[in-house]
Amino acid sequence: MTVATVLMLVARVRSALSAIAWARAVLIGVSASGGAWVMMQIVLQRELALSVRSMALAGAFALVIAAGIRAQIGRISPTRAALWMEERQPAGFALVTLVEQVTARPRSTDVVHTADAADTTSRLVRALAAATPSGGVPSGGVPSGGVPVIAGRDDLARSAVRQLRGPVLFAVGLALVAVGGPRVWTGADVRPRRVSDDAIRGARDLTIGPWRVRVVPPDYSGRMATDYGDAASVSALSGSRLEVVGAGARLPEIRMQSLVHSDTAPAVVLSPADVRSVADGWQAFTTTTAQPTELRVMRGSESRLLLVDGYADSLPRVELRLPVRDSVLRRATGVLPLEALLHDDIGLASGAFELIVSTGEGEQFTARTVRVAATRLNRTHDTTMRASLNLDSMALGPGDIMHMRAVARDGHPSASREAGISETRSFRVAKASEYDSVAVEAAPPPEFDKSLLSQRMLLLLTEKLEARRPRLTRPVLLNESGTLARDQARLRLAVGDIVFQRLGGESDAANVHGADATGPPTGKADIGMLEEGDDSPVIAINRPLLEAYNAMWDAGRALEQGDTKGAIPHMRIALAAIERSRAASRLYLRGKPPTVIVDVARVRLVGRDTGVTNARSPRTRLSAVSALREARLLAAAATAGVDVAMTRDSLAVLRLESVADAPDFARALAAVLAHLTRGGDLTDDFSRARRTLGGLVRVPSGDWSRVGPP
């Protein structure tokens, strides 16, 4: 055996050991990166997509770990290879000595055999021969050329198995966990990594994804269409066209439900004509209403919510500035300035001053309507309408009453759309019999004089409606008759306020008798409630007004049912009763009563202090609707720190449901949603919303709350 043969065997063993070390380092690096990936899946509770970028990052991470492990293991030197061979086939360290002697010298192309190297080689051969029982070669065998092999392939294979067994088992277990683990911790049906193109397209069609929302206002509003993009809530005028465009070949199912009385109102599924396919997905159409609406788009198990904050087109707001108040005229002459302020949220179409002049008394009277300064307005939002009325041209005589108001209309195309009207001003020309020698202070006309004029107007309008009744359909008749019934109810309340305020000092007609200013009258007054003598001037005025009060109730009930013919006699009775009240005797004072002045110095500290304070009133119990809203608010507050998206959707739906009947609570919820978007502590916002729902007001100077209006 020569020195070159021994060094060749050592070099082969060294290469095999280096390969085993690199394989072990690579397996450990791959296992570490895969373990980190599985831990991210477990922490995030969902399956992570294994994209090309993520695979590249994992591979780079594995190489870095492998290089670090390889550096820690160290470089396999010839001496370490010789020691490994000595451990398998002891030769008295002759092999290590030979390798150290050769590697200590400068390398050259040919290996120089010195006397020491030759002696070491001869000792190595003798040691190997002595280690073999039969005096032959070691168990490694004899390679070509008759040179004994110190360590064979079996030793290298066993070493490789011992070094790589642990990393390989760890990598296999990690792969099993990565494949089957998501089924356990997410409960999801994990698809294989390689799926067909049809399966990929099917999964994409089940996902709703982003959409594009567009709102087209009605034509009469003159507003431009608005693109909201991928929005979760929009604000739309009633009658607007709502368009939603999404992606996916499969058409979704869209349910629309009003959030007002949502417990009883069923959801409406959009018809196939409202949901259709387009080139790049699907498109849905619907018309918005004046109520907050929820649109839920569903496709398979996926769903997404779109909240529509619908609002109605408000009536024009009209304020009559001139004349300022009612008045009684001795002679109707001169010029009367008229001025009104008009406003509309969308745009004004026309405006005018409307005058109704009534002449006569009782059932023998005539009325005529005059329009002054009728103007066409070009969709302006605010304008001031001015005119001058020549009273001489109105030809008003003694006892005539002129009733005036400002009227404005917007561009709404509906024929049943009501006009915006202002407060009414009344001007009456005094009769000669009304003058006397008693010195009285100037005062405006009594309130029942205005009631007289209003009752005449209602009677006149009812007679006109009765004349047009054969040409009207039943819904139109009920609509116009209902408007007159509401006006009659408001007038009845005004008359009742005059009577009850005189009798008891309080205006309580609505509460005592159950009348509603916006609905039909629900009760009559008892005329027997007047207990004073029949000759009392108060009774002489109030008894006819109570008769008018009851007759107005009968007229309003008939108008609510669309029976205009049956309402006219009751309205005439009410008008005659008001006339009798006007003709009753009156008492006049020659001057003002003396002003009562309290002597503060005399009455100071004369009272008795008992030292007992009033007990704090208990908190008012919430209604059923408010209690349900409070429970939903508390549930949303409990999930605010866990699922922000769920909390945002719950609060948005609750806000829309509360806009109509609880606007203060809706504004408080809007503040919570704004703070939720910015992030941070929401405790104060939720507390403020709960206090607003319960009617609690925080006193600025203390930390306690009380029940009452702000």
Side-chain angles (χ1 to χ4, degrees):
M1 176 183 294
T2 63
V3 175
T5 304
V6 174
L7 294 179
M8 180 183 65
L9 293 176
V10 174
R12 291 179 180 177
V13 172
R14 176 190 174 190
S15 299
L17 292 178
S18 298
I20 294 173
W22 269 111
R24 177 181 174 85
V26 170
L27 285 175
I28 293 175
V30 172
S31 300
S33 60
W37 190 264
V38 172
M39 289 301 297
M40 290 178 63
Q41 287 182 319
I42 296 175
V43 171
L44 297 179
Q45 293 291 314
R46 63 187 181 91
E47 185 183 4
L48 298 176
L50 194 60
S51 61
V52 177
R53 179 179 298 177
S54 61
M55 291 178 64
L57 292 176
F61 184 55
L63 290 179
V64 170
I65 294 177
I69 294 175
R70 184 66 180 85
Q72 291 295 328
I73 294 176
R75 184 171 178 271
I76 305 298
S77 62
T79 303
R80 290 188 59 184
L83 286 174
W84 183 86
M85 296 170 68
E86 287 277 1
E87 291 175 357
R88 304 303 184 275
Q89 190 69 40
F93 295 100
L95 180 59
V96 176
T97 303
L98 176 62
V99 172
E100 288 181 348
Q101 289 177 355
V102 174
T103 55
R105 302 173 183 177
R107 294 176 178 238
S108 59
T109 305
D110 298 329
V111 179
V112 179
H113 295 275
T114 61
D116 295 336
D119 182 63
T120 304
T121 303
S122 62
R123 285 193 299 106
L124 175 60
V125 173
R126 288 195 300 272
L128 292 176
T132 303
S134 60
V137 297
S139 60
V142 180
S144 60
V147 180
V149 178
I150 302 174
R153 295 179 180 177
D154 295 338
D155 295 330
L156 292 174
R158 286 192 295 269
S159 179
V161 169
R162 286 194 301 270
Q163 294 292 326
L164 302 180
R165 179 174 52 193
V168 168
L169 292 178
F170 182 78
V172 172
L174 188 64
L176 294 177
V177 172
V179 173
R183 297 173 183 263
V184 177
W185 60 71
T186 63
D189 185 13
V190 181
R191 297 180 180 271
R193 294 185 181 276
R194 294 184 179 180
V195 295
S196 61
D197 295 339
D198 295 337
I200 294 176
R201 285 192 296 269
R204 187 183 301 114
D205 290 341
L206 290 178
T207 304
I208 297 176
W211 57 36
R212 188 174 70 256
V213 182
R214 187 169 183 262
V215 177
V216 182
D219 294 337
Y220 79 89
S221 65
R223 297 181 176 179
M224 301 296 293
T226 304
D227 289 325
Y228 288 91
D230 187 17
S233 62
V234 297
S235 179
L237 176 66
S238 176
S240 300
R241 177 183 175 89
L242 179 66
E243 302 177 1
V244 184
V245 180
R250 180 178 174 183
L251 294 180
E253 179 183 358
I254 302 180
R255 295 180 179 270
M256 182 173 61
Q257 182 176 7
S258 173
L259 295 179
V260 177
H261 306 298
S262 58
D263 296 336
T264 58
V268 179
V269 181
L270 295 187
S271 62
D274 297 330
V275 183
R276 66 186 184 184
S277 298
V278 293
D280 55 349
W282 55 271
Q283 189 174 24
F285 307 92
T286 187
T287 302
T288 61
T289 62
Q291 298 177 348
T293 308
E294 171 188 297
L295 268 73
R296 189 174 296 274
V297 182
M298 296 175 292
R299 181 188 284 160
S301 60
E302 296 288 333
S303 66
R304 190 175 176 188
L305 198 64
L306 176 61
L307 300 178
V308 182
D309 189 358
Y311 61 93
D313 179 11
S314 63
L315 293 176
R317 187 170 67 249
V318 184
E319 178 185 356
L320 185 61
R321 292 186 172 181
L322 291 178
V324 179
R325 61 181 63 88
D326 302 339
S327 182
V328 177
L329 306 177
R330 182 181 295 271
R331 293 185 303 274
T333 182
V335 177
L336 181 65
L338 305 178
E339 181 178 338
L341 180 62
L342 312 181
H343 170 77
D344 189 68
D345 55 346
I346 294 180
L348 295 165
S350 62
F353 292 99
E354 188 174 86
L355 311 177
I356 298 179
V357 180
S358 61
T359 304
E361 296 180 357
E363 298 183 3
Q364 301 297 325
F365 75 92
T366 59
R368 53 192 174 96
T369 302
V370 180
R371 291 175 63 88
V372 177
T375 307
R376 300 292 299 178
L377 304 173
N378 188 16
R379 298 183 182 275
T380 57
H381 294 280
D382 296 277
T383 186
T384 301
M385 186 171 57
R386 296 183 178 88
S388 297
L389 176 63
N390 189 355
L391 295 178
D392 296 330
S393 63
M394 302 300 297
L396 299 177
D400 293 349
I401 300 177
M402 182 177 62
H403 175 76
M404 66 179 60
R405 65 183 181 181
V407 181
R409 293 185 178 275
D410 56 11
H412 199 285
S414 177
S416 60
R417 175 77 167 180
E418 297 183 6
I421 58 176
S422 68
E423 185 181 357
T424 304
R425 299 282 187 266
S426 300
F427 287 83
R428 182 170 61 88
V429 180
K431 300 179 181 179
S433 59
E434 296 181 15
Y435 301 104
D436 54 25
S437 60
V438 179
V440 297
E441 295 186 356
E447 292 293 332
F448 53 81
D449 281 357
K450 299 175 61 177
S451 303
L452 171 65
L453 178 59
S454 300
Q455 187 63 30
R456 284 184 178 179
M457 289 180 57
L458 291 177
L459 177 58
L460 180 62
L461 294 176
T462 305
E463 290 176 346
K464 290 183 179 180
L465 181 60
E466 174 63 23
R468 294 189 297 117
R469 181 175 183 176
R471 302 189 300 272
L472 300 178
T473 61
R474 182 64 178 175
V476 175
L477 176 63
L478 289 177
N479 186 22
E480 296 189 11
S481 179
T483 302
L484 294 176
R486 290 191 293 271
D487 293 338
Q488 183 69 83
R490 285 192 289 266
L491 180 59
R492 185 174 70 92
L493 279 180
V495 173
D497 289 342
I498 298 172
V499 177
F500 298 122
Q501 189 172 12
R502 287 174 179 171
L503 295 179
E506 295 182 357
S507 176
D508 203 13
N511 296 330
V512 173
H513 298 280
D516 186 0
T518 59
T522 57
K524 289 186 176 182
D526 185 10
I527 299 187
M529 64 187 298
L530 302 176
E531 299 178 353
E532 299 187 30
D534 294 338
D535 56 346
S536 171
V538 176
I539 299 302
I541 298 176
N542 289 336
R543 184 181 294 275
L545 289 180
L546 283 178
E547 294 177 2
Y549 185 86
N550 292 335
M552 290 178 184
W553 183 86
D554 293 327
R557 185 176 58 178
L559 289 173
E560 283 290 333
Q561 300 173 0
D563 185 9
T564 55
K565 184 176 181 181
I568 291 176
H570 298 292
M571 299 177 74
R572 288 176 176 172
I573 292 174
L575 182 61
I578 296 175
E579 285 282 1
R580 290 198 305 273
S581 177
R582 291 183 63 241
S585 60
R586 293 173 172 81
L587 297 178
Y588 297 94
L589 298 178
R590 291 185 176 273
K592 291 183 179 180
T595 304
V596 178
I597 301 176
V598 179
D599 189 352
V600 180
R602 182 177 180 182
V603 301
R604 179 175 294 165
L605 300 178
V606 298
R608 295 181 180 179
D609 187 2
T610 61
V612 179
T613 59
N614 295 331
R616 184 177 181 183
S617 59
R619 181 180 177 184
T620 306
R621 187 175 182 179
L622 294 177
S623 62
V625 177
S626 298
L628 179 60
R629 288 174 178 171
E630 183 182 30
R632 294 171 60 184
L633 178 65
L634 294 177
T639 60
V642 180
D643 193 338
V644 178
M646 180 188 300
T647 304
R648 184 182 295 107
D649 290 344
S650 301
L651 293 178
V653 174
L654 184 58
R655 187 192 70 83
L656 276 184
E657 290 181 2
S658 309
V659 167
D661 56 344
D664 295 337
F665 180 58
R667 285 192 291 270
L669 290 179
V672 177
L673 286 172
H675 201 167
L676 183 64
T677 303
R678 298 191 304 267
D681 188 10
L682 302 174
T683 303
D684 293 340
D685 298 276
F686 275 108
S687 300
R688 190 177 300 107
R690 190 180 183 187
R691 288 197 300 268
T692 303
L693 180 62
L696 299 177
V697 179
R698 180 69 66 183
V699 178
S701 59
D703 296 332
W704 57 279
S705 300
R706 61 182 175 86
V707 179

